[in-house]
Structure formats: C-alpha cells, structure tokens
Amino acid sequence: MLKPLGDRVIVTVDKEEEKTVGGIVLANNAKEKPQTAEVVAVGDGLVADDGKKLPMNVKKGDKVLFDKYAGSTVKYEDNEYLILHEKDIMAIVD
C-alpha cells in the first residue's frame, strides 16, 4: 500500500452518477467531477518551525469533501487514487 508523507492524504474518489434522476445517460464530458472521497491513508503530519509535529485532522475511513481540482491522480496496483494535501480538504462528511 502507498504511505503518504507529511500532510498528504490518499483518497479514493466517489464515482459519479451515470444517469440523471430522469434516466438520461450523461456523456463523460457532461459529468461534474466528484468532490467527495474516502480516506485510504494519512501521512504523519507537518513539522512546525519549532520542531513539533502537527496532528492530522482526518483519519483512515473518513468521508471528505475536497477542492474540485485539487491533488494528483495516481494508479497503483490497478486502483486509482487521489493524493491531496490536507489543506485541500474542506470538510469531513458525517
């Protein structure tokens, strides 16, 4: 498994709906990019100027809402992940 460094978080992005409520199938370019994901792995956190490690606010298993165009997509062992900085996560979804 991938182990993120610093304040990075690895997530699996939720899949977008293929159809509208009315049953119309959407083309790939008409779909809105999803902004929710599940946290798969969390880094150790940033180190502050005074040498103290700052704790992360998210943990494995959290459902999060992130900035629309944040992060880098990577493929690892036939799975696709998004690697984000913690600052790109806007909220934890309950």
Side-chain angles (χ1 to χ4, degrees):
M1 182 61 195
L2 297 171
K3 172 76 173 136
L5 301 175
D7 72 331
R8 288 183 176 84
V9 178
I10 299 176
V11 299
T12 54
V13 178
D14 295 339
K15 299 295 179 197
E16 64 273 1
E17 288 293 319
E18 297 290 326
K19 296 180 183 178
T20 65
V21 176
I24 298 170
V25 177
L26 297 173
N28 280 339
N29 60 353
K31 296 176 193 170
E32 191 169 315
K33 184 178 176 184
Q35 289 181 259
T36 57
E38 183 176 339
V39 176
V40 176
V42 178
D44 293 331
L46 284 178
V47 177
D49 292 336
D50 62 2
K52 291 183 182 177
K53 191 164 286 215
L54 303 174
M56 297 288 281
N57 293 311
V58 296
K59 62 186 180 310
K60 183 178 178 180
D62 282 348
K63 184 105 165 161
V64 296
L65 181 68
F66 60 91
D67 285 335
K68 188 170 252 184
Y69 299 104
S72 299
T73 304
V74 295
K75 194 165 187 169
Y76 179 74
E77 294 182 350
D78 295 328
N79 294 314
E80 196 167 289
Y81 300 101
L82 184 65
I83 301 177
L84 305 163
H85 284 279
E86 187 182 34
K87 67 180 180 182
D88 294 328
I89 297 174
M90 300 184 291
I92 296 174
V93 180
D94 285 331

